[in-house]
Amino acid sequence: MSPESEVAVLLQPRGLLHRFIRHRDLSSIVERPERLRAVAIGIAAARAALEVQRDRADPALGVTDGLVDAILKLRIDGIESTGGIAFHILSANFSSNSLASAAVRFIHGEPSEYLSKVLSWALNSEDVIRRGESEIPKGFSQGDLYLCPQSIDALSGAVSAVFQAVDMVLGSKVTNKVGTGSSAEGCTIPVSSTSSAHDSPSADNAVLETAHPSLDEPQQVPLPPSPTGTSAVGYSNVKRVFVCIRPPGHHCSDDTPSGFCFINNILIAASHAHIRYGIKRAVILDIDLHHGNGTQAIAWSINAETAREEESNVLTEEGRDLPGTGLKVFYGSLHDILSFPCEDGEPKATQAASTILRGAHGQYIENVHLESYTDEADFFLRLYPSYLNTLLGGAREFLEATQATSEDTMVYISAGFDASLHEHPYMSRHNRNVPTAFYSRFAVDVRAFAEECCNGRIVAVLEGGYSDRALISGSGAFMQGLAVDSAQQLATDWWNVIA
């Protein structure tokens, strides 16, 4: 733990704005703004625990000139701390134009299509609800999808934050824009308000323009300032970032919201890294209780398109390096096959959540199902090695088969904490969970894997986790794992929560 920490947390305050307004009874609403508060508590506890552990190991680091002096030196990022910090805690940037970016288009298509519908639902939500209707159209789940006008800022904030995380990790890398059919990141996507199938102004395009005024010039909306600023500048040493945003994203496909999710945050991060920095190999590890059906579906489409491009590419003397320039994604998930989206045994969802492909048709997918265990010792002795070796073994096979290099590879973690043994019983009903120590051990082991394959670069994004106990303990353990050098440095009892 040096003053120049390699680890950072980005907290996006705009995520607090996304809320349920359909009626006043919130008793059944689990994807709530308070989730971010719980995660922030867990993160703060992790940093405090790590720094206390450091000070106990070397008492000289804890010496101050008195209580007042110590308080005056406190800063959220801790750069002036005598003994260095465990990790930076920063407020994320925000751009109102982020949803119109090339990276979002790469994942969700043209702004005038899927996203404009979502923005329209959000923008008109209050009026629709006043008429006694739902802001979520018929045909979509009413129980786990909701919007309000401020959800637009939450979604824009989520995209802004994952962009910032990628920029922090890759900021020192020479920009290497690739031919993806999308313009470079940071561009704007002009949207015409005059095109329509009925020769009249398009309602969808008008909504997009309303939600994102002045699309010709990106607008930076000021946030409450953090003590040292939040840009990638000044954090060149950062290699691992945990992005705390909501709503989550891994159930959202390219054009269908589902399971609290309206945009696929983790793949938008991978898209940004690909377009701006030339990152061609994305390893996505998903540890949410629920299968990331949206992420897997989009990854499948990306891989299929890249495979088609490679097959159709005609090599010339000048173009011998063209094969392999497209994005390729490994998706590995550890989840409960008995929970959403497979809870009712629906064949397609259950088959997708059980798919394993190691190169066939250009696909690299590894799905691992959680099993029950008797105690923590049983979990780590019998189950954890199998979980880890299967996921990372599949990832290594992907990297070898696709001729990945450390410079063109990035590791991403969809960090859901609803598999925690502290999750609400009604959310985790099948005795398929993990002990809190799993999150720290997994982070340590993925960090070692990332050092091996991509110079240690990791971007993790918050997915699920709904009880305060699960979120506080899970996020705290996870951040400790990202921050320490080895499993031997883990404090394995501080996160225990008394019932």
Side-chain angles (χ1 to χ4, degrees), residues 367-387:
N367 282 297
V368 182
H369 299 161
L370 287 166
E371 300 177 29
S372 58
Y373 57 96
T374 56
D375 56 27
E376 190 166 314
D378 177 47
F379 176 87
F380 281 107
L381 181 64
R382 182 172 58 88
L383 297 180
Y384 181 75
S386 174
Y387 294 163

Side-chain angles (χ1 to χ4, degrees), residues 252 292 357:
C252 184
L357 287 171

